[in-house]
Amino acid sequence: LLTIMNHKFLEKLSLLNKTGIIGAILTALGWGMAGVFIKLLPSFSAFSIVAIRLAFALIVIIPILLFQNSFFTQIKELRRLKVWILSLIMLACYTFGTIAFQIAPVGEVTLLMTTAPIFAILYKIWRREKIRKTEYWGVSIAFLGICFIIFPSLNLDSVISKQHIFGNFLALLVSILLAIYAIWFRSLSQYNLAPNSISIALGTFIIGSLMFLPTTLQLFSAYSGLISIKYLMASLGLGLVSTVIPTLCYAIAAKRLSPVTTTSVLLLEPILAVAFAFLILGAVPSVWIIPGTVFVGIGMLCMAFEKPSMLN
């Protein structure tokens, strides 16, 4: 019986768009490592962190495009309005998310940022599209697992200030924007109208670098004495691993997977963030991560049972 069940599961799993799944997982990996790189930097403000990651992301991606002889091709892609709108959405996610972590408890912000699959399902309900049972159960079980993981860091006894509420609002807004991004990109791809993922990343980094240019210049001037190999490597990691790669990969996943699946894979991000913090920073996680990881894993397995027509 177990052999038959395993065979059926592998058969269902093989129907998933492998490129999309890899893109979603790499997105979760990249964003999951962001906290580690930020911890390795000096005590910067939220806007300074955004300025650093976008400036370094632009510095990294331009030589790559020039080496591949595709820089001017991607520049031409920037003439499309859709590219700029998607770039602004991603830029807003980076900016609002970083500010939220600065002014509200990390546990609450992380929890609210994992609600994107719920908004993707609400969109399907609003459109009166059929909701599969595996979507309901998968998202619910995985989200319960996230609650287990985040529970120890929730400060339930603290007095909720206006700043605290605003931070939580920004975190929730990031989830909504990620859901909108996935829904719209998937819709465009079904009509062969989706822009190139590289052009979106380039647009995001150009807009962000120009918007935060004064902050970046002021930052380099103020902390010139703190420049070291450690800080440069952390900045490079934040720009490349946690910004360039996930920005590209999220667009790839959104193009090839359903919005619910794309956003649901990001539920792995808190688990990966805890794992990286333990391996690199030595931060010992709570025992709650064990049941949390199990529930997230079960939820992900439920989400794997998709119809091929929805994924390919």
Side-chain angles (χ1 to χ4, degrees), residues 51-240:
I52 286 175
R53 72 187 303 176
L54 294 174
F56 271 85
L58 186 62
I59 291 171
V60 167
I61 199 172
I62 289 179
I64 294 175
L65 295 179
L66 290 173
F67 179 77
Q68 295 180 338
N69 295 321
S70 61
F71 178 74
F72 295 104
T73 302
Q74 301 304 327
I75 290 294
K76 290 179 181 178
E77 277 280 303
L78 295 179
R79 292 179 297 182
R80 302 176 63 183
L81 180 60
K82 295 181 181 66
V83 172
W84 291 110
I85 295 175
L86 288 166
S87 298
L88 284 171
I89 292 175
M90 189 55 65
L91 175 62
C93 289
Y94 283 126
T95 305
F96 296 155
T98 304
I99 296 173
F101 277 118
Q102 289 278 343
I103 64 177
V106 173
E108 294 178 24
V109 171
T110 305
L111 185 62
L112 290 171
M113 282 188 181
T114 60
T115 58
I118 297 175
F119 291 109
I121 288 181
L122 288 176
Y123 174 78
K124 292 186 70 173
I125 294 174
W126 177 66
R127 289 290 303 271
R128 297 182 180 178
E129 298 178 10
K130 184 178 179 181
I131 310 296
R132 295 176 298 106
K133 290 183 179 179
T134 52
E135 287 181 331
Y136 276 127
W137 284 105
V139 171
S140 300
I141 294 171
F143 188 70
L144 180 61
I146 296 299
C147 291
F148 275 117
I149 296 170
I150 303 302
F151 178 76
S153 61
L154 295 178
N155 191 357
L156 302 177
D157 297 327
S158 65
V159 179
I160 300 179
S161 63
K162 291 181 179 179
Q163 189 180 46
H164 184 155
I165 294 173
F166 183 62
N168 286 345
F169 168 77
L170 289 179
L172 197 61
L173 184 57
V174 170
S175 279
I176 295 172
L177 290 173
L178 287 174
I180 291 173
Y181 185 104
I183 291 167
W184 191 32
F185 208 114
R186 178 61 175 172
S187 176
L188 290 172
S189 67
Q190 289 176 332
Y191 293 98
N192 295 320
L193 297 174
N196 190 295
S197 58
I198 298 177
S199 64
I200 296 173
L202 186 61
T204 302
F205 307 148
I206 289 175
I207 297 172
S209 297
L210 292 175
M211 184 181 298
F212 294 105
L213 182 60
T215 303
T216 305
L217 295 176
Q218 183 180 8
L219 190 65
F220 283 130
S221 175
Y223 291 94
S224 57
L226 293 175
I227 293 178
S228 66
I229 297 297
K230 173 186 174 182
Y231 295 150
L232 287 175
M233 293 302 294
S235 299
L236 182 61
L238 184 62
L240 175 60

Side-chain angles (χ1 to χ4, degrees), residues 25-41 49 53 94 101 233-243 245-246 266 268-281:
I25 292 174
L26 288 177
T27 301
L29 280 167
W31 285 342
M33 288 197 70
V36 172
F37 293 125
I38 291 172
K39 285 289 186 182
L40 294 174
L41 291 170
I49 293 172
R53 72 187 303 176
Y94 283 126
F101 277 118
M233 293 302 294
S235 299
L236 182 61
L238 184 62
L240 175 60
V241 179
S242 295
T243 308
I245 292 176
L266 298 183
L268 294 171
E269 185 183 337
I271 297 176
L272 295 170
V274 171
F276 289 135
F278 173 69
L279 293 173
I280 300 175
L281 301 177

